[in-house]
């Protein structure tokens, strides 16, 4: 890796990030409507959602991931590993935790052959934003995307 990218990489930004921004806008509008609805119906809806969040762990997790941006998953071409485009968890690695390795703002190529993680292939390339750029069994095929 040389620290450079193809000239057309920036051209993919709109297609990749616009849907994320649009989803964030919908979520923000919904939250604003919910939090500023002082009618009896609005207060009842807020109370109902609060109870559901407290009693349905899957809903609580889904909302937390959406609101924090951790649920962002980018489209992936057919035939690539299912982890591609997904947010990587903070894996514990021999060199430290993954998120600490991402602090310099560079891609991190993980060799998981000696420290396997369940559901992960032998290697993965993690983007600086914590999303999986590539995952597979042959690290030489990793490309910066």
């Amino acid at each position: 890796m040389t620290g450079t990218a193809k000239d057309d990489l920036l051209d993919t930004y709109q297609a990749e990030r616009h849907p994320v921004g649009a989803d964030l806008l919908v979520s923000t509008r919904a939250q604003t409507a919910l939090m500023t609805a002082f009618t009896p119906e609005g207060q009842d809806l807020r109370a109902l959602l609060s109870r559901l969040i407290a009693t349905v762990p899957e809903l609580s997790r889904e909302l937390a991931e959406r609101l924090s941006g951790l649920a962002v998953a980018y489209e992936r071409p057919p035939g690539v590993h299912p982890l591609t485009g997904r947010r990587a968890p903070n894996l514990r690695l021999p060199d430290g935790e993954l998120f600490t390795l991402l602090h310099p703002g560079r891609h991190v190529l993980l060799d998981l052959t000696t420290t396997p993680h369940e559901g992960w292939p032998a290697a993965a390339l993690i983007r600086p934003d914590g999303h999986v750029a590539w995952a597979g069994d042959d690290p030489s095929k990793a490309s910066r995307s």
Side-chain angles (χ1 to χ4, degrees):
M1 289 187 241
T2 63
T4 60
K6 296 177 186 173
D7 290 339
D8 62 349
L9 179 61
L10 191 56
D11 295 338
T12 66
Y13 187 81
Q14 169 73 12
E16 181 178 280
R17 295 298 300 166
H18 189 268
V20 174
D23 187 54
L24 176 62
L25 183 59
V26 168
S27 294
T28 301
R29 286 180 177 162
Q31 291 174 64
T32 301
L34 184 63
M35 297 311 293
T36 59
F38 297 110
T39 63
E41 295 86 2
Q43 291 175 344
D44 288 345
L45 179 57
R46 199 165 38 248
L48 172 64
L49 283 174
S50 293
R51 282 194 305 274
L52 287 172
I53 290 169
T55 58
V56 181
E58 298 82 16
L59 176 61
S60 179
R61 180 182 175 125
E62 175 71 21
L63 287 173
E65 288 179 353
R66 282 179 163 268
L67 296 175
S68 66
L70 294 176
V72 172
Y74 298 107
E75 258 189 67
R76 61 181 182 267
V80 300
H81 195 279
L83 289 172
T84 303
R86 303 296 184 257
R87 175 82 176 191
N90 193 18
L91 299 173
R92 293 186 191 276
L93 305 163
D95 297 343
E97 293 182 337
L98 174 59
F99 293 172
T100 302
L101 298 175
L102 290 171
H103 280 194
R106 297 189 180 273
H107 285 72
V108 173
L109 181 59
L110 301 178
D111 177 355
L112 302 172
T113 55
T114 57
T115 55
H117 289 271
E118 186 176 331
W120 284 76
L125 181 65
I126 311 300
R127 296 178 359 175
D129 66 359
H131 284 79
V132 179
W134 173 88
D137 292 322
D138 184 356
S140 70
K141 293 185 178 178
S143 67
R144 303 176 107 195
S145 47

